Coordinates of all heavy atoms in Angstrom, one line a residue:
A135 N 5.6 2.1 0.5 CA 6.9 2.1 1.1 C 8.0 2.1 0.0 O 9.0 2.8 0.1 CB 7.1 0.8 1.9
K136 N 7.8 1.3 -1.0 CA 8.7 1.4 -2.1 C 8.8 2.8 -2.9 O 9.8 3.3 -3.1 CB 8.5 0.2 -3.2 CG 8.9 -1.2 -2.8 CD 8.4 -2.0 -4.0 CE 8.6 -3.6 -3.5 NZ 7.9 -4.5 -4.5
A137 N 7.6 3.3 -3.0 CA 7.5 4.5 -3.7 C 8.0 5.6 -3.0 O 8.5 6.5 -3.5 CB 5.9 4.8 -4.0
I138 N 8.1 5.6 -1.7 CA 8.7 6.7 -0.7 C 10.4 6.3 -0.7 O 11.1 7.3 -0.9 CB 8.1 6.6 0.6 CG1 6.7 7.0 0.5 CG2 9.0 7.5 1.5 CD1 6.0 6.8 1.9
A139 N 10.7 5.1 -0.6 CA 12.1 4.8 -0.5 C 12.9 4.9 -1.8 O 14.0 5.5 -1.8 CB 12.2 3.4 0.1
A140 N 12.3 4.4 -2.9 CA 13.2 4.4 -4.1 C 13.7 5.7 -4.7 O 14.9 5.7 -4.9 CB 12.4 3.5 -5.2
P141 N 12.8 6.6 -4.8 CA 13.3 8.0 -5.3 C 14.5 8.6 -4.5 O 15.3 9.4 -5.1 CB 12.1 8.8 -5.4 CG 11.0 8.0 -5.2 CD 11.3 6.7 -4.5
R142 N 14.3 8.2 -3.2 CA 15.4 8.9 -2.2 C 16.7 7.8 -2.0 O 17.6 8.2 -1.3 CB 14.8 9.2 -1.0 CG 13.8 10.3 -1.1 CD 12.9 10.5 0.1 NE 12.0 11.6 -0.2 CZ 10.8 11.5 -0.9 NH1 10.6 10.1 -1.4 NH2 10.0 12.4 -1.2
R143 N 16.6 6.7 -2.7 CA 17.6 5.6 -2.6 C 17.7 5.3 -1.1 O 18.7 4.9 -0.7 CB 19.0 6.3 -3.0 CG 19.0 6.7 -4.5 CD 18.7 5.7 -5.5 NE 18.7 6.2 -6.9 CZ 17.7 6.5 -7.8 NH1 16.5 6.3 -7.3 NH2 18.0 6.8 -9.0
L144 N 16.7 5.3 -0.4 CA 16.6 4.8 1.1 C 16.5 3.3 1.0 O 15.9 2.7 0.2 CB 15.4 5.5 1.8 CG 15.3 6.9 1.9 CD1 14.2 7.4 2.7 CD2 16.6 7.4 2.7
P145 N 17.1 2.6 2.1 CA 17.0 1.1 2.2 C 15.5 1.0 2.7 O 14.8 1.7 3.3 CB 17.9 0.9 3.4 CG 18.2 2.2 4.1 CD 18.1 3.1 3.1
L146 N 15.1 -0.2 2.3 CA 13.8 -0.8 2.6 C 14.0 -1.9 3.7 O 14.8 -2.8 3.5 CB 13.1 -1.2 1.4 CG 11.5 -1.6 1.7 CD1 10.5 -0.4 1.5 CD2 11.1 -2.8 0.7
I147 N 13.1 -1.9 4.8 CA 13.2 -3.0 5.7 C 11.9 -3.8 5.8 O 11.0 -3.4 6.5 CB 13.7 -2.5 7.1 CG1 14.7 -1.5 7.0 CG2 14.0 -3.8 7.9 CD1 15.2 -0.9 8.4
P148 N 11.8 -4.8 5.0 CA 10.5 -5.6 5.2 C 10.5 -6.4 6.4 O 11.5 -7.0 6.8 CB 10.7 -6.6 3.9 CG 11.8 -6.2 3.2 CD 12.7 -5.5 4.1
T149 N 9.4 -6.5 7.1 CA 9.3 -6.9 8.5 C 8.1 -8.0 8.4 O 7.2 -7.9 7.7 CB 9.2 -6.1 9.6 OG1 7.9 -5.3 9.5 CG2 10.3 -5.1 9.6
D150 N 8.2 -8.8 9.4 CA 7.2 -9.9 9.6 C 6.2 -9.4 10.7 O 6.6 -8.8 11.8 CB 7.9 -11.2 10.2 CG 6.9 -12.2 10.5 OD1 6.2 -12.1 11.4 OD2 7.0 -13.3 9.7
H151 N 4.9 -9.4 10.5 CA 4.0 -8.8 11.4 C 4.0 -9.4 12.8 O 3.9 -8.7 13.6 CB 2.5 -9.1 10.7 CG 1.4 -8.5 11.5 ND1 1.1 -7.2 11.5 CD2 0.5 -9.0 12.5 CE1 0.2 -6.9 12.3 NE2 -0.2 -8.0 12.9
L152 N 4.3 -10.6 12.9 CA 4.4 -11.3 14.2 C 5.6 -11.0 14.9 O 5.6 -10.8 16.2 CB 4.3 -12.8 14.1 CG 3.1 -13.4 13.6 CD1 3.1 -15.0 13.2 CD2 1.9 -13.2 14.6
N153 N 6.7 -10.7 14.2 CA 7.9 -10.1 14.8 C 7.5 -8.7 15.4 O 8.0 -8.3 16.4 CB 9.0 -9.9 13.7 CG 10.0 -11.1 13.9 OD1 10.1 -11.9 14.8 ND2 10.9 -11.2 12.8
G154 N 6.7 -8.0 14.7 CA 6.2 -6.8 15.1 C 5.5 -6.8 16.4 O 5.9 -6.1 17.4
H155 N 4.6 -7.8 16.7 CA 3.8 -8.1 17.9 C 5.0 -8.3 19.0 O 4.8 -7.8 20.1 CB 2.8 -9.1 17.8 CG 1.5 -8.5 17.1 ND1 0.9 -7.4 17.8 CD2 0.8 -8.9 16.2 CE1 -0.2 -7.1 17.0 NE2 -0.3 -8.1 16.0
V156 N 6.0 -9.0 18.8 CA 6.9 -9.4 19.8 C 7.7 -8.2 20.0 O 8.0 -7.8 21.2 CB 7.8 -10.7 19.3 CG1 8.9 -10.8 20.2 CG2 6.9 -11.8 19.2

Side-chain angles (χ1 to χ4, degrees):
K136 287 180 186 174
I138 292 170
R142 293 167 184 81
R143 308 293 189 253
L144 295 177
L146 186 88
I147 316 177
T149 67
D150 180 290
H151 184 79
L152 290 173
N153 261 344
H155 278 305
V156 172

